[in-house]
mmCIF file of all heavy atoms in Angstrom:
data_model
loop_
_atom_site.group_PDB
_atom_site.id
_atom_site.type_symbol
_atom_site.label_atom_id
_atom_site.label_comp_id
_atom_site.label_asym_id
_atom_site.label_seq_id
_atom_site.Cartn_x
_atom_site.Cartn_y
_atom_site.Cartn_z
ATOM 1 N N TYR A 1 -103.050 55.144 140.272
ATOM 2 C CA TYR A 1 -104.103 56.128 140.066
ATOM 3 C C TYR A 1 -103.754 57.450 140.731
ATOM 4 O O TYR A 1 -102.767 57.581 141.450
ATOM 5 C CB TYR A 1 -105.431 55.578 140.616
ATOM 6 C CG TYR A 1 -105.839 54.298 139.903
ATOM 7 C CD1 TYR A 1 -105.659 53.061 140.515
ATOM 8 C CD2 TYR A 1 -106.360 54.342 138.626
ATOM 9 C CE1 TYR A 1 -105.998 51.897 139.875
ATOM 10 C CE2 TYR A 1 -106.709 53.168 137.966
ATOM 11 C CZ TYR A 1 -106.535 51.962 138.581
ATOM 12 O OH TYR A 1 -106.870 50.794 137.949
ATOM 13 N N ILE A 2 -104.591 58.446 140.528
ATOM 14 C CA ILE A 2 -104.336 59.805 140.993
ATOM 15 C C ILE A 2 -104.322 59.902 142.517
ATOM 16 O O ILE A 2 -103.667 60.775 143.071
ATOM 17 C CB ILE A 2 -105.383 60.785 140.376
ATOM 18 C CG1 ILE A 2 -104.933 62.231 140.533
ATOM 19 C CG2 ILE A 2 -106.728 60.613 141.031
ATOM 20 C CD1 ILE A 2 -104.067 62.679 139.432
ATOM 21 N N ASP A 3 -105.028 59.007 143.175
ATOM 22 C CA ASP A 3 -105.100 59.079 144.634
ATOM 23 C C ASP A 3 -103.988 58.259 145.316
ATOM 24 O O ASP A 3 -104.034 58.055 146.529
ATOM 25 C CB ASP A 3 -106.476 58.621 145.121
ATOM 26 C CG ASP A 3 -106.788 57.190 144.714
ATOM 27 O OD1 ASP A 3 -106.076 56.659 143.843
ATOM 28 O OD2 ASP A 3 -107.741 56.613 145.269
ATOM 29 N N ASP A 4 -102.992 57.823 144.563
ATOM 30 C CA ASP A 4 -101.868 57.071 145.129
ATOM 31 C C ASP A 4 -100.964 58.034 145.893
ATOM 32 O O ASP A 4 -100.353 58.930 145.321
ATOM 33 C CB ASP A 4 -101.091 56.376 144.005
ATOM 34 C CG ASP A 4 -100.070 55.395 144.534
ATOM 35 O OD1 ASP A 4 -99.935 55.289 145.769
ATOM 36 O OD2 ASP A 4 -99.411 54.733 143.713
ATOM 37 N N GLN A 5 -100.875 57.849 147.217
ATOM 38 C CA GLN A 5 -100.118 58.772 148.067
ATOM 39 C C GLN A 5 -98.605 58.664 147.844
ATOM 40 O O GLN A 5 -97.911 59.674 147.865
ATOM 41 C CB GLN A 5 -100.447 58.507 149.538
ATOM 42 C CG GLN A 5 -101.872 58.867 149.892
ATOM 43 C CD GLN A 5 -102.201 58.524 151.333
ATOM 44 O OE1 GLN A 5 -101.371 57.962 152.030
ATOM 45 N NE2 GLN A 5 -103.406 58.864 151.757
ATOM 46 N N ASP A 6 -98.105 57.458 147.610
ATOM 47 C CA ASP A 6 -96.666 57.296 147.377
ATOM 48 C C ASP A 6 -96.236 58.017 146.107
ATOM 49 O O ASP A 6 -95.210 58.693 146.086
ATOM 50 C CB ASP A 6 -96.300 55.818 147.260
ATOM 51 C CG ASP A 6 -96.388 55.106 148.586
ATOM 52 O OD1 ASP A 6 -96.320 55.800 149.620
ATOM 53 O OD2 ASP A 6 -96.506 53.865 148.592
ATOM 54 N N LEU A 7 -97.019 57.876 145.037
ATOM 55 C CA LEU A 7 -96.697 58.549 143.777
ATOM 56 C C LEU A 7 -96.745 60.059 143.958
ATOM 57 O O LEU A 7 -95.871 60.784 143.485
ATOM 58 C CB LEU A 7 -97.670 58.100 142.683
ATOM 59 C CG LEU A 7 -97.506 58.754 141.322
ATOM 60 C CD1 LEU A 7 -96.144 58.413 140.742
ATOM 61 C CD2 LEU A 7 -98.610 58.330 140.380
ATOM 62 N N ASP A 8 -97.783 60.539 144.662
ATOM 63 C CA ASP A 8 -97.931 61.977 144.889
ATOM 64 C C ASP A 8 -96.738 62.526 145.690
ATOM 65 O O ASP A 8 -96.168 63.551 145.324
ATOM 66 C CB ASP A 8 -99.245 62.244 145.643
ATOM 67 C CG ASP A 8 -99.524 63.724 145.789
ATOM 68 O OD1 ASP A 8 -99.360 64.456 144.783
ATOM 69 O OD2 ASP A 8 -99.873 64.152 146.904
ATOM 70 N N ARG A 9 -96.343 61.840 146.764
ATOM 71 C CA ARG A 9 -95.218 62.278 147.587
ATOM 72 C C ARG A 9 -93.923 62.270 146.781
ATOM 73 O O ARG A 9 -93.115 63.203 146.860
ATOM 74 C CB ARG A 9 -95.069 61.373 148.816
ATOM 75 C CG ARG A 9 -94.020 61.888 149.783
ATOM 76 C CD ARG A 9 -93.853 61.076 151.066
ATOM 77 N NE ARG A 9 -94.951 60.217 151.464
ATOM 78 C CZ ARG A 9 -94.971 58.883 151.303
ATOM 79 N NH1 ARG A 9 -93.943 58.282 150.748
ATOM 80 N NH2 ARG A 9 -95.993 58.178 151.700
ATOM 81 N N MET A 10 -93.718 61.229 145.961
ATOM 82 C CA MET A 10 -92.506 61.136 145.161
ATOM 83 C C MET A 10 -92.423 62.287 144.163
ATOM 84 O O MET A 10 -91.369 62.911 143.991
ATOM 85 C CB MET A 10 -92.465 59.800 144.407
ATOM 86 C CG MET A 10 -91.200 59.598 143.582
ATOM 87 S SD MET A 10 -91.223 58.108 142.593
ATOM 88 C CE MET A 10 -92.449 58.529 141.362
ATOM 89 N N LEU A 11 -93.550 62.597 143.517
ATOM 90 C CA LEU A 11 -93.547 63.690 142.534
ATOM 91 C C LEU A 11 -93.330 65.044 143.196
ATOM 92 O O LEU A 11 -92.679 65.922 142.643
ATOM 93 C CB LEU A 11 -94.854 63.688 141.739
ATOM 94 C CG LEU A 11 -95.045 62.492 140.796
ATOM 95 C CD1 LEU A 11 -96.428 62.527 140.177
ATOM 96 C CD2 LEU A 11 -93.976 62.460 139.732
ATOM 97 N N ARG A 12 -93.856 65.232 144.409
ATOM 98 C CA ARG A 12 -93.665 66.494 145.120
ATOM 99 C C ARG A 12 -92.215 66.689 145.591
ATOM 100 O O ARG A 12 -91.722 67.806 145.630
ATOM 101 C CB ARG A 12 -94.591 66.567 146.336
ATOM 102 C CG ARG A 12 -96.031 66.821 145.960
ATOM 103 C CD ARG A 12 -96.902 66.802 147.210
ATOM 104 N NE ARG A 12 -98.301 66.825 146.886
ATOM 105 C CZ ARG A 12 -99.043 67.928 146.835
ATOM 106 N NH1 ARG A 12 -98.510 69.092 147.089
ATOM 107 N NH2 ARG A 12 -100.313 67.858 146.528
ATOM 108 N N GLU A 13 -91.554 65.587 145.954
ATOM 109 C CA GLU A 13 -90.186 65.685 146.454
ATOM 110 C C GLU A 13 -89.157 65.880 145.346
ATOM 111 O O GLU A 13 -88.034 66.267 145.624
ATOM 112 C CB GLU A 13 -89.841 64.429 147.258
ATOM 113 C CG GLU A 13 -90.533 64.368 148.585
ATOM 114 C CD GLU A 13 -90.257 63.072 149.328
ATOM 115 O OE1 GLU A 13 -89.556 62.197 148.770
ATOM 116 O OE2 GLU A 13 -90.748 62.935 150.460
ATOM 117 N N GLN A 14 -89.535 65.637 144.114
ATOM 118 C CA GLN A 14 -88.592 65.817 143.015
ATOM 119 C C GLN A 14 -88.279 67.298 142.833
ATOM 120 O O GLN A 14 -89.165 68.143 142.881
ATOM 121 C CB GLN A 14 -89.161 65.275 141.702
ATOM 122 C CG GLN A 14 -89.119 63.781 141.575
ATOM 123 C CD GLN A 14 -89.693 63.325 140.246
ATOM 124 O OE1 GLN A 14 -90.217 64.112 139.471
ATOM 125 N NE2 GLN A 14 -89.584 62.033 139.995
ATOM 126 N N GLU A 15 -87.005 67.592 142.626
ATOM 127 C CA GLU A 15 -86.604 68.967 142.347
ATOM 128 C C GLU A 15 -86.466 69.112 140.842
ATOM 129 O O GLU A 15 -85.734 68.373 140.202
ATOM 130 C CB GLU A 15 -85.269 69.276 143.042
ATOM 131 C CG GLU A 15 -85.382 69.307 144.544
ATOM 132 C CD GLU A 15 -84.080 69.714 145.207
ATOM 133 O OE1 GLU A 15 -83.233 70.326 144.535
ATOM 134 O OE2 GLU A 15 -83.930 69.409 146.394
ATOM 135 N N ARG A 16 -87.154 70.096 140.310
ATOM 136 C CA ARG A 16 -87.129 70.323 138.861
ATOM 137 C C ARG A 16 -86.302 71.551 138.553
ATOM 138 O O ARG A 16 -86.334 72.545 139.283
ATOM 139 C CB ARG A 16 -88.553 70.493 138.347
ATOM 140 C CG ARG A 16 -89.352 69.199 138.464
ATOM 141 C CD ARG A 16 -90.802 69.442 138.091
ATOM 142 N NE ARG A 16 -91.612 68.279 138.391
ATOM 143 C CZ ARG A 16 -92.095 68.007 139.586
ATOM 144 N NH1 ARG A 16 -91.841 68.798 140.602
ATOM 145 N NH2 ARG A 16 -92.828 66.935 139.782
ATOM 146 N N GLU A 17 -85.585 71.498 137.456
ATOM 147 C CA GLU A 17 -84.756 72.628 137.054
ATOM 148 C C GLU A 17 -85.665 73.750 136.539
ATOM 149 O O GLU A 17 -86.634 73.518 135.811
ATOM 150 C CB GLU A 17 -83.789 72.191 135.945
ATOM 151 C CG GLU A 17 -82.710 73.199 135.683
ATOM 152 C CD GLU A 17 -81.693 72.671 134.703
ATOM 153 O OE1 GLU A 17 -81.445 71.460 134.674
ATOM 154 O OE2 GLU A 17 -81.159 73.503 133.967
ATOM 155 N N GLY A 18 -85.358 74.946 136.954
ATOM 156 C CA GLY A 18 -86.153 76.088 136.510
ATOM 157 C C GLY A 18 -87.398 76.307 137.350
ATOM 158 O O GLY A 18 -88.257 77.117 136.988
ATOM 159 N N ASP A 19 -87.524 75.640 138.465
ATOM 160 C CA ASP A 19 -88.686 75.801 139.344
ATOM 161 C C ASP A 19 -88.469 77.051 140.188
ATOM 162 O O ASP A 19 -87.529 77.126 140.960
ATOM 163 C CB ASP A 19 -88.811 74.560 140.239
ATOM 164 C CG ASP A 19 -90.102 74.563 141.054
ATOM 165 O OD1 ASP A 19 -90.892 75.504 140.910
ATOM 166 O OD2 ASP A 19 -90.292 73.615 141.841
ATOM 167 N N PRO A 20 -89.368 78.059 140.069
ATOM 168 C CA PRO A 20 -89.166 79.294 140.829
ATOM 169 C C PRO A 20 -89.360 79.122 142.333
ATOM 170 O O PRO A 20 -88.796 79.872 143.123
ATOM 171 C CB PRO A 20 -90.211 80.255 140.249
ATOM 172 C CG PRO A 20 -91.224 79.398 139.596
ATOM 173 C CD PRO A 20 -90.532 78.142 139.193
ATOM 174 N N MET A 21 -90.120 78.154 142.750
ATOM 175 C CA MET A 21 -90.377 77.946 144.172
ATOM 176 C C MET A 21 -89.339 77.035 144.839
ATOM 177 O O MET A 21 -89.372 76.848 146.048
ATOM 178 C CB MET A 21 -91.773 77.351 144.374
ATOM 179 C CG MET A 21 -92.900 78.280 143.980
ATOM 180 S SD MET A 21 -92.962 79.734 145.015
ATOM 181 C CE MET A 21 -93.551 79.057 146.524
ATOM 182 N N ALA A 22 -88.420 76.456 144.054
ATOM 183 C CA ALA A 22 -87.447 75.511 144.602
ATOM 184 C C ALA A 22 -86.569 76.172 145.657
ATOM 185 O O ALA A 22 -86.272 75.561 146.687
ATOM 186 C CB ALA A 22 -86.585 74.930 143.480
ATOM 187 N N ALA A 23 -86.144 77.396 145.415
ATOM 188 C CA ALA A 23 -85.295 78.093 146.382
ATOM 189 C C ALA A 23 -86.034 78.308 147.693
ATOM 190 O O ALA A 23 -85.466 78.130 148.781
ATOM 191 C CB ALA A 23 -84.826 79.426 145.805
ATOM 192 N N LEU A 24 -87.291 78.680 147.631
ATOM 193 C CA LEU A 24 -88.092 78.904 148.828
ATOM 194 C C LEU A 24 -88.263 77.594 149.618
ATOM 195 O O LEU A 24 -88.135 77.585 150.845
ATOM 196 C CB LEU A 24 -89.463 79.483 148.445
ATOM 197 C CG LEU A 24 -90.406 79.774 149.602
ATOM 198 C CD1 LEU A 24 -89.829 80.874 150.495
ATOM 199 C CD2 LEU A 24 -91.775 80.164 149.093
ATOM 200 N N ILE A 25 -88.514 76.520 148.910
ATOM 201 C CA ILE A 25 -88.690 75.217 149.575
ATOM 202 C C ILE A 25 -87.385 74.790 150.246
ATOM 203 O O ILE A 25 -87.385 74.274 151.364
ATOM 204 C CB ILE A 25 -89.175 74.163 148.561
ATOM 205 C CG1 ILE A 25 -90.609 74.509 148.110
ATOM 206 C CG2 ILE A 25 -89.124 72.766 149.149
ATOM 207 C CD1 ILE A 25 -91.135 73.661 146.984
ATOM 208 N N LYS A 26 -86.242 75.014 149.586
ATOM 209 C CA LYS A 26 -84.951 74.669 150.177
ATOM 210 C C LYS A 26 -84.717 75.461 151.458
ATOM 211 O O LYS A 26 -84.221 74.926 152.448
ATOM 212 C CB LYS A 26 -83.816 74.945 149.182
ATOM 213 C CG LYS A 26 -83.660 73.897 148.121
ATOM 214 C CD LYS A 26 -82.463 74.206 147.250
ATOM 215 C CE LYS A 26 -82.341 73.223 146.116
ATOM 216 N NZ LYS A 26 -81.212 73.533 145.236
ATOM 217 N N LYS A 27 -85.069 76.749 151.432
ATOM 218 C CA LYS A 27 -84.903 77.583 152.627
ATOM 219 C C LYS A 27 -85.760 77.063 153.766
ATOM 220 O O LYS A 27 -85.320 76.991 154.913
ATOM 221 C CB LYS A 27 -85.263 79.040 152.327
ATOM 222 C CG LYS A 27 -84.214 79.775 151.518
ATOM 223 C CD LYS A 27 -84.629 81.209 151.293
ATOM 224 C CE LYS A 27 -83.654 81.938 150.386
ATOM 225 N NZ LYS A 27 -84.076 83.314 150.085
ATOM 226 N N ARG A 28 -86.993 76.695 153.471
ATOM 227 C CA ARG A 28 -87.895 76.178 154.507
ATOM 228 C C ARG A 28 -87.349 74.874 155.106
ATOM 229 O O ARG A 28 -87.369 74.679 156.322
ATOM 230 C CB ARG A 28 -89.287 75.915 153.924
ATOM 231 C CG ARG A 28 -90.112 77.142 153.760
ATOM 232 C CD ARG A 28 -91.507 76.772 153.344
ATOM 233 N NE ARG A 28 -92.284 77.967 153.008
ATOM 234 C CZ ARG A 28 -93.444 77.930 152.407
ATOM 235 N NH1 ARG A 28 -93.983 76.774 152.057
ATOM 236 N NH2 ARG A 28 -94.091 79.047 152.149
ATOM 237 N N LYS A 29 -86.863 73.977 154.239
ATOM 238 C CA LYS A 29 -86.318 72.709 154.729
ATOM 239 C C LYS A 29 -85.086 72.949 155.593
ATOM 240 O O LYS A 29 -84.909 72.318 156.641
ATOM 241 C CB LYS A 29 -85.957 71.789 153.557
ATOM 242 C CG LYS A 29 -87.149 71.132 152.914
ATOM 243 C CD LYS A 29 -86.718 70.141 151.848
ATOM 244 C CE LYS A 29 -87.922 69.500 151.196
ATOM 245 N NZ LYS A 29 -87.525 68.560 150.148
ATOM 246 N N ALA A 30 -84.224 73.858 155.181
ATOM 247 C CA ALA A 30 -83.031 74.177 155.968
ATOM 248 C C ALA A 30 -83.419 74.759 157.319
ATOM 249 O O ALA A 30 -82.821 74.439 158.348
ATOM 250 C CB ALA A 30 -82.138 75.150 155.199
ATOM 251 N N LYS A 31 -84.430 75.630 157.326
ATOM 252 C CA LYS A 31 -84.888 76.240 158.576
ATOM 253 C C LYS A 31 -85.488 75.184 159.515
ATOM 254 O O LYS A 31 -85.250 75.187 160.725
ATOM 255 C CB LYS A 31 -85.929 77.313 158.255
ATOM 256 C CG LYS A 31 -86.257 78.228 159.384
ATOM 257 C CD LYS A 31 -87.183 79.326 158.923
ATOM 258 C CE LYS A 31 -87.430 80.336 160.013
ATOM 259 N NZ LYS A 31 -88.331 81.401 159.598
ATOM 260 N N GLU A 32 -86.278 74.242 158.929
ATOM 261 C CA GLU A 32 -86.859 73.168 159.734
ATOM 262 C C GLU A 32 -85.769 72.265 160.328
ATOM 263 O O GLU A 32 -85.857 71.863 161.487
ATOM 264 C CB GLU A 32 -87.820 72.340 158.878
ATOM 265 C CG GLU A 32 -89.118 73.015 158.545
ATOM 266 C CD GLU A 32 -89.972 72.185 157.608
ATOM 267 O OE1 GLU A 32 -89.613 71.000 157.365
ATOM 268 O OE2 GLU A 32 -90.987 72.696 157.135
ATOM 269 N N ASN A 33 -84.758 71.955 159.545
ATOM 270 C CA ASN A 33 -83.658 71.114 160.032
ATOM 271 C C ASN A 33 -82.868 71.814 161.136
ATOM 272 O O ASN A 33 -82.409 71.184 162.074
ATOM 273 C CB ASN A 33 -82.733 70.720 158.874
ATOM 274 C CG ASN A 33 -83.383 69.728 157.954
ATOM 275 O OD1 ASN A 33 -84.329 69.036 158.316
ATOM 276 N ND2 ASN A 33 -82.869 69.645 156.734
#
């Protein structure tokens, strides 16, 4: 169902081609690491 946290986390972690925010998210993850 929609409130499944594992499904939600898995879908958020997927990188999609053509996503304009993907570069920003990668920068944030690199900075956090």
Side-chain angles (χ1 to χ4, degrees):
Y1 299 103
I2 195 87
D3 60 346
D4 190 358
Q5 292 177 357
D6 289 338
L7 178 63
D8 186 45
R9 187 177 339 103
M10 182 185 70
L11 292 174
R12 286 177 189 265
E13 288 176 357
Q14 283 180 354
E15 292 184 20
R16 293 174 189 82
E17 192 174 328
D19 188 1
M21 294 295 288
L24 180 65
I25 292 172
K26 282 184 184 178
K27 285 181 185 177
R28 281 187 187 168
K29 284 185 181 179
K31 193 174 185 180
E32 287 175 9
N33 289 339

